[in-house]
């Protein structure tokens, strides 16, 4: 075991070479810091992408994510955006398999953008390779020590344990973060993990031999069935990554691949054809079933501001608002802004980060959970749909004075999540009154008409 | 590393030789199971008790705890009760240091019982030694594996790692349970830890050379000062173990032992004299400051019912209702009753335990937190005191039909915690109405009297 200290510049050690860890490493590197990035996995750029695990729900990058990448590297952001598939709305598939209905996301054709997680991760890693960041794969974090004096990380590797000391350390090692677990031992950090009673299973819709995309590529496809749902996002090659979400009891009540295909035929007849019976049988027998969990922790920083957790390590949310990565990228932007505002005093920035970020992270985690209900059920509810129609109509009339929640979350990078929620609460109250007003007017109108008919009838 | 399997009887491996782990080991052993108990500490019975750490808030054993011990071993319970100091109420010390006021706990002189934690722990360990339970100290749990097939625990010891396989395993290793952490890796367990903004510091009131106990031994002494408080419980030798509770900001704003003694002189003048200036200086400089945390987890069992967490590992509460140990002991009683009800089918008992116990554990954790407010502030509030007076008066009139919450929690082992809370909600509503009734009557009476005076004055 050797104690290695990188260099004389201010050094930053980051654990987790996933999306958020990579962007953080790049951000610090661009600012001239000496950055080391560690991950327990093997270098994913060496692995055949088709052989990777089947547990990644496709990503949608939207304004907050794009802005965060842009602020690190505009050219990189442009490069990424060349490989996305814009989705301008949801495409709702009904149970007959015959009807599809488009519901636009934005007022002015704004899109969220489907992108393959591993493609994006590889791109970020390549960029890191060119920017002098030392990336150490197959380094499994074992222990943090001296967190608030000389932060030291011990890793187990093929060649035994190694220790590194940095000026500052960051944990971006995901929902099951070992960095967080180690940090908790030395401080009072509130923490909660809550499983959502839901499993997900990845499915695959192959490209169409003739028209490339078997269904419209520029929509996020949803088969909402109240208790459970199917979604599909397009990939560049014409295929779709599809995900089946259901309560555990639903999938566990299906006893064979035969029953599973039957279930699909009945509930998602068009998707059944798109995926294919054989693929469904194989998926039921072989594909892993993921679980969904919400994680919250507080504070995110160590008491003296030498260590910080970001991304899923600090706030793991369910995937239903498409904001997990976007929010994690925003973490990086906010952090770099705080470092700038504190003139490079990273301790101060780490200490300021927790209180500044808390309400926004709490808000988006809650929205993500609430949105499952919206996606799986409300999108077919008439009251919801008329309210949404009104919401969007007011949005198009009053532009910057009235914005639907989805717009504020996904297409505005300048409104903090918690503020968006506060604005939505106010708008929703107005909308409800408006809707009640319309209903009252209709009732009054109906009563007047009724009275006229009655009068006519009496005077006959 | 050797794989050791104890014997051919059904084997139970328990981690944590604290109070709850010891009682569980004893309970299983008495029923004829082959029990192994592990702890990472050295054998505490070999350590001079005065040299132990200063972090144990004194314990009060009450009905639930006593019943749980009795059901394992009546003789043991009798032995323990010979070494307790009964406390029949709270003794409230005012800020002048001159006035003390007794507030009884029960309607009929019921007492809770002060006992030294390490004394009780030693007694249980001695009992285990005589009952054939194998107790392995200095065994630090490293890993659980095959939890729901052939539950295997790996420990690190001075002589390298060792593995044991059992039929069933139980984690009773406290709030920071590593057993729970390992169990969580293989299942979906909700979990939360929340720090309470409060520190505690142990202080010591020596025996009085003349009258043995410097203050009344048969009360739990409280110096309530709203934001912070001091408590003291008697020990058999005439000393008192005292604990100072305060928000972190209060203790952290005190910069020297000099300021600390000044603070004590001002806020707890009588306690200041009892503890002594030198002891206060030494305590401020040397005694550790503990933090308080609430832990909840769910479910407590592994999916197929081979593993279970009990005691603080499953539900760590703040110490303000004096129920932490009592509740942990009750865990053991409920578990053994479920095993009996399921005719020895331990899987079934483990599976039934979680849903049966959840509401009660949630209830007592919440009560414990709420009681800080009662102890530190409400005990000096006139509205609270008259309501309590009424509550206890109704209790003495209607005996089994009306029981104050404290009585149900501390002196009734047959009312589940959640039921006690439900009854209290109903009673509290009646009490409030009653109190409002009295106030209204007084107002009416006052008005009538006033009118009479006015009439007299007018007719003069």
């Amino acid at each position: 075991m050797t104690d290695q200290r990188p260099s004389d510049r201010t050094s930053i050690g980051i654990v987790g070479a996933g999306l958020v860890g990579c962007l953080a490493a790049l951000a610090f590197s661009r600012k001239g810091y000496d950055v080391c990035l560690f991950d327990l996995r093997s270098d994913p750029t060496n692995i055949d992408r088709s052989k990777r695990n089947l547990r990644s729900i496709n990503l949608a990058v939207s304004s907050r994510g794009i802005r965060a990448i842009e602020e690190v590297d505009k050219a990189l952001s442009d490069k990424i955006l060349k490989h996305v598939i814009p989705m301008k709305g949801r495409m709702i598939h009904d149970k007959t398999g015959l009807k599809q209905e488009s519901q636009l996301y934005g007022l002015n054709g704004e899109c969220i953008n489907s992108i393959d997680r591993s493609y994006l991760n590889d791109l970020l890693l390549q960029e890191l390779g060119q920017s002098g960041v030392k990336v150490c794969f197959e380094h499994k974090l074992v222990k943090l020590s001296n967190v608030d004096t000389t932060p030291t990380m011990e890793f187990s590797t093929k060649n035994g344990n190694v220790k590194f000391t940095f000026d500052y350390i960051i944990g971006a090692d995901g929902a099951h973060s070992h960095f967080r677990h180690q940090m908790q031992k030395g401080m009072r950090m509130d923490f909660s993990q809550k499983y959502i009673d839901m499993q997900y299973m990845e499915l695959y819709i192959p490209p169409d031999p003739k028209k490339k995309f078997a269904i419209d590529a520029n929509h996020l496809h949803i088969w909402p069935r109240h208790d459970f749902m199917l979604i599909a996002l397009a990939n560049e090659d014409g295929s779709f990554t599809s995900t089946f979400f259901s309560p555990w009891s639903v999938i566990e009540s299906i006893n064979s691949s035969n029953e599973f295909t039957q279930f699909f035929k009945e509930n998602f007849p068009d998707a059944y054809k798109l995926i294919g019976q054989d693929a469904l049988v194989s998926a039921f027998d072989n594909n892993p079933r993921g679980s969904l969990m919400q994680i919250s922790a507080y504070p995110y920083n160590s008491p003296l501001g030498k260590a910080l957790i970001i991304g899923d390590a600090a706030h793991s949310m369910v995937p239903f608002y498409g904001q997990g990565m976007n929010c994690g990228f925003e973490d990086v932007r906010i952090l770099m802004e705080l470092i700038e505002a504190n003139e490079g005093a990273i301790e101060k920035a780490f200490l300021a980060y927790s209180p500044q970020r808390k309400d926004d992270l709490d808000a988006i985690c809650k929205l993500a959970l609430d949105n499952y209900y919206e996606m799986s059920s409300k999108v077919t509810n008439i009251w919801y749909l008329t309210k949404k129609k009104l919401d969007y109509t007011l949005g198009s009339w009053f532009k910057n004075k009235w914005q639907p929640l989805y717009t504020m979350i996904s297409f505005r990078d300048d409104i903090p999540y918690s503020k968006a929620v506060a604005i939505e609460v106010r708008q929703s109250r107005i909308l409800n009154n408006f809707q009640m007003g319309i209903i009252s007017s209709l009732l009054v109108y109906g009563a007047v008409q009724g009275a006229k008919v009655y009068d006519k009838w009496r005077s006959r």
Side-chain angles (χ1 to χ4, degrees), chain A:
Chain A
M1 194 189 293
T2 53
D3 195 336
Q4 308 172 7
R5 205 175 178 300
S7 84
D8 280 346
R9 282 183 294 159
T10 297
S11 62
I12 314 281
I14 301 177
V15 179
L19 300 171
V20 175
C22 282
L23 188 68
L26 209 53
F28 276 99
S29 161
R30 291 283 196 268
K31 294 273 178 198
Y33 294 95
D34 180 17
V35 184
C36 237
L37 180 63
F38 301 89
D39 202 292
L40 55 83
R41 297 168 303 172
S42 309
D43 186 348
T45 55
N46 295 336
I47 303 171
D48 178 4
R49 216 177 294 156
S50 68
K51 297 232 174 70
R52 293 186 186 172
N53 83 28
L54 289 163
R55 275 192 166 180
S56 75
I57 298 162
N58 251 34
L59 295 172
V61 60
S62 52
S63 295
R64 291 170 202 265
I66 295 166
R67 173 166 171 205
I69 305 168
E70 269 176 0
E71 302 222 341
V72 173
D73 187 334
K74 180 73 174 77
L76 174 63
S77 150
D78 292 344
K79 200 195 258 178
I80 290 168
L81 288 178
K82 276 192 197 132
H83 292 275
V84 301
I85 298 182
M87 299 181 291
K88 61 186 175 211
R90 298 168 179 154
M91 186 71 84
I92 310 300
H93 295 245
D94 83 342
K95 211 180 158 176
T96 66
L98 302 171
K99 267 205 328 219
Q100 297 180 23
E101 187 202 324
S102 165
Q103 297 179 357
L104 296 188
Y105 281 130
L107 301 167
N108 312 299
E110 298 98 325
C111 290
I112 62 174
N113 306 285
S114 173
I115 189 165
D116 182 82
R117 172 191 294 269
S118 51
Y119 170 79
L120 180 55
N121 211 153
D122 289 358
L123 210 67
L124 287 166
L125 282 170
Q126 280 158 21
E127 201 71 26
L128 281 173
Q130 291 157 19
S131 63
V133 170
K134 191 176 165 198
V135 186
C136 306
F137 287 103
E138 299 176 39
H139 276 59
K140 185 183 173 192
L141 181 67
V142 178
K143 201 176 168 183
L144 295 186
S145 48
N146 308 325
V147 170
D148 265 333
T149 50
T150 51
T152 302
M153 306 203 276
E154 184 178 336
F155 298 91
S156 86
T157 74
K158 275 186 296 195
N159 309 314
N161 281 18
V162 286
K163 273 188 183 178
F164 296 88
T165 298
F166 296 93
D167 294 318
Y168 302 95
I169 54 175
I170 295 176
D173 49 346
H176 296 280
S177 172
H178 192 62
F179 187 100
R180 178 187 67 226
H181 184 66
Q182 283 289 315
M183 210 169 135
Q184 282 178 316
K185 287 180 194 278
M187 63 175 287
R188 299 191 295 275
M189 184 194 283
D190 288 347
F191 172 72
S192 93
Q193 66 177 49
K194 194 169 170 46
Y195 282 89
I196 312 305
D197 173 26
M198 201 172 294
Q199 67 80 37
Y200 68 90
M201 185 194 287
E202 197 175 302
L203 299 163
Y204 177 77
I205 297 175
D208 186 283
K210 286 182 213 151
K211 51 183 184 176
K212 190 174 178 189
F213 294 101
I215 43 180
D216 189 312
N218 300 117
H219 278 85
L220 191 158
H221 294 264
I222 310 185
W223 289 256
R225 299 294 179 266
H226 295 274
D227 275 352
F228 47 88
M229 72 170 173
L230 185 73
I231 67 169
L233 284 81
N235 298 314
E236 267 195 300
D237 66 355
S239 67
F240 284 78
T241 303
S242 175
T243 314
F244 171 58
F245 294 94
S246 82
W248 284 94
S249 60
V250 168
I251 194 78
E252 280 164 359
S253 70
I254 299 174
N255 296 310
S256 67
S257 53
N258 216 347
E259 273 180 53
F260 187 63
T261 54
Q262 204 51 43
F263 174 88
F264 254 69
K265 213 175 198 168
E266 214 165 89
N267 291 290
F268 316 112
D270 51 341
Y272 167 80
K273 280 184 209 146
L274 293 168
I275 299 168
Q277 172 149 353
D278 292 350
L280 282 168
V281 166
S282 158
F284 183 82
D285 291 337
N286 305 315
N287 288 12
R289 293 160 195 187
S291 55
L292 297 177
M293 184 171 61
Q294 240 189 352
I295 285 211
S296 71
Y298 194 82
Y300 314 115
N301 61 284
S302 61
L304 301 183
K306 291 279 201 175
L308 188 74
I309 47 172
I310 58 175
D312 278 4
H315 51 81
S316 172
M317 65 192 82
V318 293
F320 304 116
Y321 222 110
Q323 284 290 312
M325 171 191 62
N326 289 290
C327 174
F329 282 0
E330 196 179 67
D331 287 352
V332 175
R333 174 175 71 83
I334 301 283
L335 178 60
M336 300 318 286
E337 284 176 5
L338 281 171
I339 292 174
E340 199 147 317
N342 285 286
E343 292 164 351
I346 298 187
E347 280 100 336
K348 284 190 193 164
F350 278 15
L351 291 174
Y353 177 87
S354 289
Q356 162 152 356
R357 198 79 182 118
K358 182 176 195 319
D359 288 350
D360 292 327
L361 295 178
D362 287 351
I364 188 60
C365 285
K366 185 173 181 313
L367 281 181
L369 197 56
D370 293 348
N371 217 42
Y372 176 74
Y373 176 58
E374 173 156 341
M375 287 175 82
S376 66
S377 300
K378 281 166 79 181
V379 286
T380 61
N381 174 305
I382 183 73
W383 179 259
Y384 162 82
L385 287 172
T386 57
K387 189 169 158 189
K388 193 178 161 193
K389 189 96 191 168
L390 256 174
D391 194 11
Y392 277 64
T393 307
L394 290 171
S396 65
W397 286 352
F398 298 109
K399 298 273 180 239
N400 282 320
K401 306 233 174 215
W402 186 285
Q403 299 198 61
L405 181 62
Y406 195 91
T407 295
M408 292 188 283
I409 297 296
S410 302
F411 307 129
R412 291 287 300 264
D413 52 46
D414 56 335
I415 303 178
Y417 289 122
S418 60
K419 198 174 166 201
V421 169
I423 293 172
E424 157 72 3
V425 167
R426 191 167 45 88
Q427 290 184 169
S428 188
R429 210 177 297 134
I430 297 173
L431 270 188
N432 281 333
N433 291 341
F434 206 89
Q435 223 167 349
M436 289 310 287
I438 291 177
I439 290 172
S440 308
S441 309
L442 286 174
L443 286 174
V444 168
Y445 177 79
V448 170
Q449 294 302 317
K452 279 187 190 162
V453 170
Y454 176 73
D455 259 5
K456 248 191 197 159
W457 171 80
R458 247 192 15 163
S459 58
R460 268 202 309 206

